[in-house]
Amino acid sequence: MELTTILALLVTPLVAQFVYRYWTNPLCKIPAAHPLAHFTSLWIYYVRWRAVENTTLKRAHAQLGPIVCLGPNEVSVNCVKGGIRDVYAGGFEKSNASGTFNWYAFFSNYGSVDNMFSTGHNKPHSARKRMLSNIYSKSVVTASPALLAQVSSIIYDRFLPRLESTFSDEDTGVLNIYALLSAVTMDIVTGYIFGLKSGSNLISNPEQLSWFLGLYNSRRSFNFWPQELPALTNFVQKWIGYRLVPQWVDEANGKIEDWTKAMCQSAAAVTADGVANVADTPVVYGQLSVVLAKEVKKAGGEALELDSHVASEVLDHLAAGFDTSGITLTYVIHELCRHPEVQVRLQRELRTLSPRIVHSSSPSLPDGKAVDALPFLHAVIWETLRLHPAIPGPQPRVSPPQGCRLGSEDNTYYVPGGVRVSASAGLLHLNEDVYLYAGEWKPERWLDLENLDEEKRRDMENRWFWAFGSGGRMCVGSHLAVYQMKYILAALYSNYTTAIVDDNGIEQSDAYTAPPQSDKLLIRLQKLNSYPSDM
Ligand code: HEM
Ligand SMILES: *[C@@H]1O[C@H](CO)[C@@H](O)[C@H](O)[C@H]1NC(C)=O
Ligand SMILES: *[C@@H]1O[C@H](CO)[C@@H](O)[C@H](O)[C@H]1NC(C)=O
Ligand SMILES: *[C@@H]1O[C@H](CO)[C@@H](O)[C@H](O)[C@H]1NC(C)=O
């Protein structure tokens, strides 16, 4: 046989399969983000591997509309009606019916022990969520005496002294605020989970802070293979002996897991001895271990298993809780440094708090409700969550077995079951029709919303604002996040002014959770000895 014949014999079936797929796949009616997208997933995987998904999707939606095809089994949506309302509020699952796909399985811990976040199917997920939503609800968070005591101690005994200590350094008042914010949010979140005595103290232990952040941040660049192509990743390691994820990443995960289990054990010991101080109450750990123990007992399980289930759950909360809030606060501070007039306005608002959050001989915090009610502080945080959402990347779900119709009113498309569907906060928040000058940081847009047309207000506040997601899988910790971010900013700007020293690499990474590319923001603190006079 001639070479050309052999080639033809080899190539024809491939071409035939391509054509067959094209004609039989309903997704081929949906505009493709790339000429290859209707035929193969290789293109979108390559985009993700190069970490240019955000820009690529932004361009695709701008050119092709609110629904685009990314691969023969994948679409991206960028609208509310026929988009996030149907997919997320509509309860599409994280896993497909066969359970072969779950992008979030990557977030299980202790050798694939599921937690609320990683659970693929809605039923077991809502059982877990019912155990936890009460302690994270707005009414419980704002009224919790334990949380108030924890935050008060962390701010007055750790955070303010740490800020003050930067002035005795050689480099007067200069610090990497991203690292410190990660420490404060970790201390507060683990404080609420485990109680102050058993939670972390990263603020006062800089070596422990760099140990932890080193472990945590070094793993970020290795997410692609295990998360997007878990089967291939395992196959390559098992049969070819090549590790796409270096061994030290597994070791880093193991160390973070051990660290979490030690906090669990400490909280259990404190509980057994009887909690003497309200700040030592392990609110989340206490609730979860009691409710889960009942469940495990009902199922006839072992105590050992229970420990891993509790630890896998709280490890996810502490990771989700510190990282996202630390990133958001970093961008709030960066924007405030770039807009000194806004900083002055915030400082003036903070002056109305009573008591003020400054060094004092009888430290106490103003009421959570009073802090929550400050309109400008709220606007500054909301505008940052909009323009720099800590989770800007796609949140993948799977279309239901019976299929669905997606796309904006005038142009909807049939999407069969088992298709990966996602939307991204980073793209929804740039809608110019809802957020005028969407690329600019303008906290004023969140003020006086009640003067706006009702539809416009709901578009801005509810429908298109997606920093915490929506539907049954929406962020459970949003109220804790907002509560801690407000106290931390109030403490910082009640007695300091900030200015940028080095913000190279401040742009957000192209990732699901998106910290500054450089993992740092160097600022200089200046003491506010008297408040700026009214302008
Ligand atoms: C500014 C801070 C935060 C942001 C922007 C944020 C954002 C989000 C988003 C977008 C989701 C949905 C993700 C998806 O489905 O792909 C989510 C889920 C979740 N978040 Fe947050 N989060 C924040 C703070 C926190 C805190 C403080 C906690 C602490 C408990 C937390 C715990 C969780 C958990 C457990 C889930 C999974 C919920 C479920 O599956 O039902 N988050 N978060
Ligand atoms: C995503 O890309 C757009 C357009 O290139 C850019 O304006 C935006 O800042 C990016 N978002 C993130 C989170 O990187
Ligand atoms: C989900 O499973 C079905 C059947 O096993 C499969 O056809 C489909 O491609 C899967 N979906 C994803 C997103 O992997
Ligand atoms: C800020 O703190 C310093 C002490 O570090 C104090 O002298 C000053 O009065 C405080 N400023 C305000 C506005 O409370």
Side-chain angles (χ1 to χ4, degrees):
M1 255 193 301
E2 269 183 59
L3 188 64
T4 45
T5 322
I6 298 178
L7 276 179
L9 279 175
L10 286 174
V11 168
T12 312
L14 283 178
V15 172
Q17 206 211 350
F18 255 55
V19 173
Y20 177 77
R21 263 191 158 177
Y22 186 83
W23 288 113
T24 54
N25 187 347
L27 294 195
C28 291
K29 299 209 168 65
I30 300 175
H34 185 273
L36 283 174
H38 282 148
F39 304 101
T40 171
S41 297
L42 285 176
W43 171 73
I44 189 64
Y45 285 131
Y46 182 57
V47 165
R48 288 184 184 130
W49 181 74
R50 290 196 305 144
V52 292
E53 187 170 17
N54 169 51
T55 342
T56 308
L57 292 186
K58 168 95 174 117
R59 200 181 317 122
H61 281 296
Q63 285 169 359
L64 304 169
I67 176 162
V68 297
C69 176
L70 303 180
N73 199 27
E74 178 166 2
V75 298
S76 169
V77 292
N78 193 33
C79 55
V80 172
K81 237 173 142 183
I84 55 173
R85 186 175 297 167
D86 301 57
V87 176
Y88 299 87
F92 285 23
E93 301 205 308
K94 285 184 173 179
S95 180
N96 61 356
S98 60
T100 49
F101 171 85
N102 177 6
W103 189 81
Y104 295 84
F106 176 80
F107 295 101
S108 61
N109 301 307
Y110 301 98
S112 49
V113 177
D114 262 329
N115 48 55
M116 174 159 68
F117 188 52
S118 70
T119 299
H121 291 299
N122 287 348
K123 211 174 151 206
H125 167 266
S126 24
R128 180 63 61 87
K129 200 151 192 167
R130 274 196 297 276
M131 299 176 191
L132 290 160
S133 34
N134 181 49
I135 45 173
Y136 283 118
S137 66
K138 183 157 184 177
S139 52
V140 170
V141 163
T142 34
S144 165
L147 181 60
L148 187 68
Q150 287 150 359
V151 173
S152 179
S153 168
I154 289 167
I155 284 182
Y156 284 112
D157 304 339
R158 302 181 193 173
F159 183 51
L160 292 179
R162 173 73 186 82
L163 292 178
E164 228 14 63
S165 77
T166 58
F167 294 98
S168 56
D169 295 350
E170 236 170 71
D171 231 355
T172 311
V174 173
L175 78 164
N176 174 6
I177 195 72
Y178 176 53
L180 180 57
L181 291 167
S182 299
V184 188
T185 53
M186 181 65 94
D187 286 0
I188 293 178
V189 173
T190 57
Y192 192 54
I193 296 175
F194 302 111
L196 204 56
K197 207 172 181 178
S198 306
S200 64
N201 185 355
L202 298 184
I203 302 174
S204 320
N205 293 296
E207 306 80 45
Q208 206 185 14
L209 175 62
S210 34
W211 169 81
F212 178 80
L213 290 180
L215 291 179
Y216 193 85
N217 292 332
S218 62
R219 308 166 314 158
R220 291 199 209 257
S221 49
F222 296 99
N223 289 356
F224 171 79
W225 292 105
Q227 192 152 33
E228 295 295 335
L229 298 161
L232 179 71
T233 307
N234 287 336
F235 179 86
V236 168
Q237 186 173 332
K238 193 162 171 207
W239 297 101
I240 306 177
Y242 182 75
R243 303 184 66 107
L244 288 161
V245 181
Q247 186 150 10
W248 59 262
V249 173
D250 290 348
E251 285 162 13
N253 284 327
K255 285 179 193 159
I256 294 172
E257 287 173 346
D258 292 346
W259 185 67
T260 305
K261 272 216 167 147
M263 290 192 278
C264 288
Q265 278 152 7
S266 167
V270 169
T271 309
D273 290 349
V275 177
N277 187 334
V278 63
D280 295 333
T281 316
V283 176
V284 180
Y285 177 84
Q287 160 94 1
L288 188 64
S289 48
V290 168
V291 185
L292 264 189
K294 279 190 204 145
E295 189 139 295
V296 169
K297 202 168 156 197
K298 239 181 8 199
E302 301 279 321
L304 194 70
E305 214 186 306
L306 171 66
D307 287 350
S308 293
H309 280 90
V310 174
S312 174
E313 186 65 56
V314 293
L315 171 46
D316 181 64
H317 296 202
L318 68 85
F322 101 88
D323 199 11
T324 48
S325 302
I327 292 168
T328 308
L329 287 168
T330 301
Y331 286 103
V332 174
I333 291 171
H334 187 244
E335 293 291 4
L336 286 171
C337 291
R338 295 177 61 208
H339 299 86
E341 72 295 348
V342 181
Q343 206 177 126
V344 169
R345 189 165 172 190
L346 177 63
Q347 283 157 337
R348 210 182 307 145
E349 184 182 73
L350 293 172
R351 191 161 132 201
T352 63
L353 281 177
S354 165
R356 285 165 34 201
I357 313 179
V358 288
H359 298 281
S360 130
S361 49
S362 57
S364 76
L365 286 178
D367 185 47
K369 285 206 187 77
V371 177
D372 192 41
L374 295 174
F376 204 61
L377 179 60
H378 184 81
V380 157
I381 292 175
W382 243 247
E383 181 62 350
T384 307
L385 286 168
R386 182 191 69 82
L387 188 59
H388 307 287
I391 302 186
Q395 300 177 21
R397 301 291 188 269
V398 180
S399 59
Q402 71 277 17
C404 58
R405 287 198 80 84
L406 294 175
S408 67
E409 292 139 72
D410 42 344
N411 233 345
T412 66
Y413 297 89
Y414 172 68
V415 174
V419 170
R420 173 169 168 170
V421 186
S422 37
S424 312
L427 301 183
L428 291 161
H429 290 177
L430 294 180
N431 183 345
E432 287 282 344
D433 296 337
V434 177
Y435 306 107
L436 213 61
Y437 303 107
E440 288 171 38
W441 190 76
K442 291 178 163 297
E444 324 78 73
R445 74 170 85 242
W446 297 101
L447 299 174
D448 305 322
L449 287 180
E450 58 284 359
N451 298 340
L452 277 183
D453 170 67
E454 173 71 6
E455 285 297 301
K456 277 233 157 72
R457 187 187 63 72
R458 291 186 57 193
D459 271 348
M460 278 181 74
E461 273 199 307
N462 311 108
R463 298 179 183 135
W464 288 80
F465 183 82
W466 213 52
F468 297 108
S470 58
R473 311 296 300 241
M474 185 179 163
C475 181
V476 80
S478 64
H479 304 294
L480 176 62
V482 173
Y483 178 97
Q484 67 170 342
M485 291 194 295
K486 286 185 172 176
Y487 270 119
I488 293 167
L489 287 171
L492 178 60
Y493 287 101
S494 283
N495 199 9
Y496 298 95
T497 297
T498 61
I500 296 168
V501 172
D502 179 1
D503 66 351
N504 263 320
I506 191 69
E507 300 75 28
Q508 284 188 271
S509 317
D510 184 284
Y512 174 73
T513 306
Q517 285 171 15
S518 58
D519 272 337
K520 67 163 174 37
L521 170 62
L522 287 190
I523 61 162
R524 184 188 303 281
L525 296 176
Q526 212 169 20
K527 262 181 258 191
L528 244 188
N529 285 315
S530 61
Y531 275 94
S533 54
D534 287 3
M535 290 193 297

